[in-house]
Amino acid sequence: MIWQRLRLVLAGLIAVALLNGCAPILLVPPYDEQIDSGLTALYSDTTAFVDRMISLRGTPEGSYAKNSDFYETATAKVGALVVRAEAHRILNDCPSSALVSRAFALARIPEDVRGTIGTLPKDDCQVVLLRLIQDGYGNMAKVHQIQGDAGLPPMAHGQFIDGGVGAQLRAAITVEIAKRAR
C-alpha cells in the first residue's frame, strides 16, 4: 500500500516535470511599456523640437546655446531606458534577430539606419538601438552647435526625423511594439 502511494506520488512528480519541460519557450522578451512610452515621448519631443528650431532659424531662440538643454535631457532619458533594456539583457531576454528584421521591414526603416544597426547580438537586444539613439542625439547636437546662431536649417527635418535619430527612435519603437504584438 505504501509502495503504491509512493509510486503514484513519484509518477505524479515525473508527469509534472515532463509537462514543465514541454512548456513553451519564450523567444521574445515581454513587452516593456515604460520603454515603449519613453521612446514614443522622445520621438514626439524630438519632432516638435526640430520643427521649432527650423521655425526659429536665424534668431537667438533657435541657437544651440539657447537649446543645449534639450540634448542633455533627451540623452538622459535615453540613458534611463538603457538601464531598463540592460535588465532584459542580464536576464538573457532579448528579441530574436528574425523578429527585429521583420519589424524593421514592416516599419519601412531606411536601409542606412538598418545598416548602422546591423545584426543585433543575442545578448544586446534593444541596448544597441538605445545607444545608437544616444549617439544620434549627439550627432544632432553637433550639427546644431556647428550651425551656431543660425540654428537648424529646413533640411534638418529630413536629416534628423525621417533619417538619423528619428529613424532610430522609430526602429526601437517598432521592436517594442513587435514584442507586444507577438
Side-chain angles (χ1 to χ4, degrees):
M1 182 86 150
I2 292 177
W3 290 109
Q4 281 181 330
R5 284 189 180 164
L6 186 58
R7 275 192 219 162
L8 284 174
V9 169
L10 187 57
L13 290 174
I14 290 172
V16 168
L18 286 173
L19 287 174
N20 281 338
C22 295
I25 297 170
L26 184 65
L27 295 176
V28 179
Y31 165 75
D32 190 321
E33 184 177 351
Q34 289 184 20
I35 289 178
D36 183 12
S37 62
L39 290 168
T40 302
L42 277 166
Y43 185 79
S44 174
D45 293 348
T46 303
T47 301
F49 175 76
V50 168
D51 289 344
R52 189 167 63 83
M53 291 300 99
I54 290 170
S55 71
L56 294 172
R57 179 169 172 72
T59 68
E61 291 80 25
S63 71
Y64 173 80
K66 293 265 186 173
N67 294 284
S68 62
D69 58 326
F70 169 81
Y71 299 104
E72 294 167 11
T73 301
T75 302
K77 286 179 180 179
V78 176
L81 297 177
V82 167
V83 170
R84 290 192 66 81
E86 283 178 338
H88 289 294
R89 180 175 70 176
I90 289 168
L91 296 171
N92 198 21
D93 193 19
C94 299
S96 70
S97 57
L99 169 77
V100 172
S101 296
R102 193 169 49 247
F104 286 177
L106 291 172
R108 295 186 304 250
I109 301 302
E111 283 297 324
D112 61 326
V113 173
R114 286 190 215 183
T116 302
I117 293 167
T119 302
L120 297 178
K122 182 178 184 260
D123 65 342
D124 277 343
C125 60
Q126 208 156 17
V127 174
V128 172
L129 290 171
L130 293 171
R131 289 202 174 126
L132 284 171
I133 291 168
Q134 283 180 314
D135 292 345
Y137 279 114
N139 293 338
M140 191 168 115
K142 284 177 191 169
V143 169
H144 198 170
Q145 194 170 20
I146 290 168
Q147 293 291 318
D149 292 340
L152 292 177
M155 67 179 206
H157 185 90
Q159 183 179 2
F160 297 120
I161 302 303
D162 298 337
V165 72
Q168 292 164 341
L169 284 163
R170 285 194 315 278
I173 291 167
T174 300
V175 168
E176 203 57 43
I177 289 173
K179 292 188 304 187
R180 181 178 66 191
R182 66 174 172 95

